[in-house]
Amino acid sequence: MAPRPRELKPDRSARDLFGSEMRRYREEAGMSLESLGDVLRYAKSSLARYETAESMIPPDLPERLDAAFGAGGLFGKLYGLARKELHPDQFRRVMELELRARLIQEYTGQIVPGLVQTEPYARALFELHNPRATPDEIQELVTARMSRQALLRADPAPDFFAILDEAVLRRSYGGPAIMRAQLEQLLDLTLTPTSVVQILPFAHGGHALAGGSLKLMTLDDGTQVAYEESTTTGTLIEEKNLVTARQRAYDLMRACALSPKETASMIRSAMEALTP
């Protein structure tokens, strides 16, 4: 029996509305996804993801759908809305995409990336950012963060590359003992078969990604997405040209970062500077 199509909620987002209308027009025309793919010259699997609002709509698809169904520009108008909105439930979606990633590239400017935080370090962060949270609420957040790290121990594990601003090493959370243990964990990841950690030193000066963090994920089907995060907001980016621009900024930064060997030396220095 074929799996039941994902339920769409057109009032939730423009992307859901786009998918709902795409499904409605297709079914009214008596077409399967495969036959529509033949008309549009798109793979059935790709159309399925657009129809279920699981992937960002490519720029050329709306015009092709309008032409195929004689929709009078409807899909073009919906695409104009969908490309501007933040994806609903987007952090949940980022976590889903993270599980599919075969390559994860991160930049952080202030704190250690969540995927490689120690439990005490994560707890210290949550307590600082949520001063009114109860111990149970903090524990729930810590448990959720630690559970995400299982993907780096999967078989096969994704490749994990991280560029950290020097501030990540110098700004202590939780006290010297907690920070030292966190830095030791980073040290162990500087160069392994599945991980590379590099430091961007203060001496480099400014760069294009200052002021936030960036995660680039290459998925199991070759698709690449980006997730940008500031202090209070996060944005999932799936449009190819925008993701490519973020990848270029990341590549330029990596070219200026310390080598893994130099990074390990700086991490050791930061550990020694921590007072007992």
Side-chain angles (χ1 to χ4, degrees):
M1 180 181 294
R4 187 176 180 179
R6 172 181 176 270
E7 181 183 359
L8 290 165
K9 298 179 179 179
D11 60 343
R12 186 179 73 164
S13 72
R15 190 185 298 191
D16 272 64
L17 180 57
F18 186 102
S20 177
E21 287 298 285
M22 180 178 166
R23 181 180 293 171
R24 181 173 72 85
Y25 270 85
R26 177 178 63 78
E27 291 178 346
E28 287 181 354
M31 301 177 74
S32 65
L33 281 170
E34 187 172 4
S35 59
L36 179 59
D38 291 340
V39 172
L40 302 179
R41 296 186 178 181
Y42 262 87
K44 173 185 174 182
S45 58
S46 297
L47 291 179
R49 291 196 299 272
Y50 307 140
E51 192 175 274
T52 54
E54 293 176 359
S55 292
M56 183 58 194
I57 307 147
D60 64 331
L61 181 60
E63 184 177 351
R64 296 191 190 193
L65 287 170
D66 281 325
F69 294 129
L74 170 67
F75 289 101
K77 294 173 183 176
L78 291 176
Y79 173 69
L81 295 173
R83 69 189 299 269
K84 294 176 183 177
E85 72 179 359
L86 294 178
H87 194 287
D89 304 323
Q90 68 173 351
F91 189 70
R92 174 188 57 79
R93 175 151 172 75
V94 169
M95 298 304 97
E96 293 172 352
L97 294 173
E98 198 174 67
L99 290 172
R100 292 177 51 200
R102 304 315 312 146
L103 169 62
I104 299 172
Q105 303 172 90
E106 288 208 53
Y107 161 74
T108 59
Q110 297 294 329
I111 62 175
V112 174
L115 285 175
V116 292
Q117 290 176 4
T118 63
E119 184 170 334
Y121 181 92
R123 187 181 303 280
L125 285 177
F126 285 130
E127 289 175 346
L128 185 62
H129 293 160
N130 303 271
R132 296 188 178 184
T134 66
D136 286 346
E137 289 171 334
I138 294 294
Q139 183 58 48
E140 185 176 348
L141 291 169
V142 172
T143 299
R145 177 152 296 180
M146 294 300 103
S147 68
R148 283 174 53 207
Q149 297 182 1
L151 73 91
L152 294 183
R153 299 188 294 272
D155 186 16
D159 289 318
F160 177 78
F161 298 162
I163 302 173
L164 313 180
D165 193 279
E166 185 177 343
V168 174
L169 307 185
R170 307 301 180 186
R171 193 178 305 282
S172 180
Y173 288 90
I178 287 175
M179 193 65 193
R180 189 176 292 106
Q182 176 63 79
L183 293 180
E184 186 172 358
Q185 178 155 303
L186 284 179
L187 186 61
D188 291 340
L189 295 170
T190 50
L191 186 60
T192 77
T194 59
S195 70
V196 175
V197 175
Q198 295 174 266
I199 299 298
L200 187 71
F202 289 145
H204 172 68
H207 57 84
L209 298 178
S213 64
L214 173 69
K215 178 180 293 185
L216 293 156
M217 295 181 283
T218 303
L219 308 183
D220 48 10
D221 62 358
T223 302
Q224 191 176 38
V225 299
Y227 182 64
E228 287 183 328
E229 197 168 23
S230 64
T231 305
T232 58
T233 62
T235 304
L236 178 63
I237 302 169
E238 297 180 78
E239 291 186 66
K240 186 174 181 180
N241 62 319
L242 298 180
V243 176
T244 299
R246 270 62 173 187
Q247 180 68 65
R248 176 171 173 74
Y250 187 91
D251 289 343
L252 288 171
M253 184 183 301
R254 180 162 51 195
C256 299
L258 300 179
S259 69
K261 183 177 181 179
E262 294 168 327
T263 291
S265 178
M266 180 173 279
I267 293 174
R268 291 190 189 96
S269 175
M271 292 172 68
E272 292 170 0
L274 290 167
T275 56

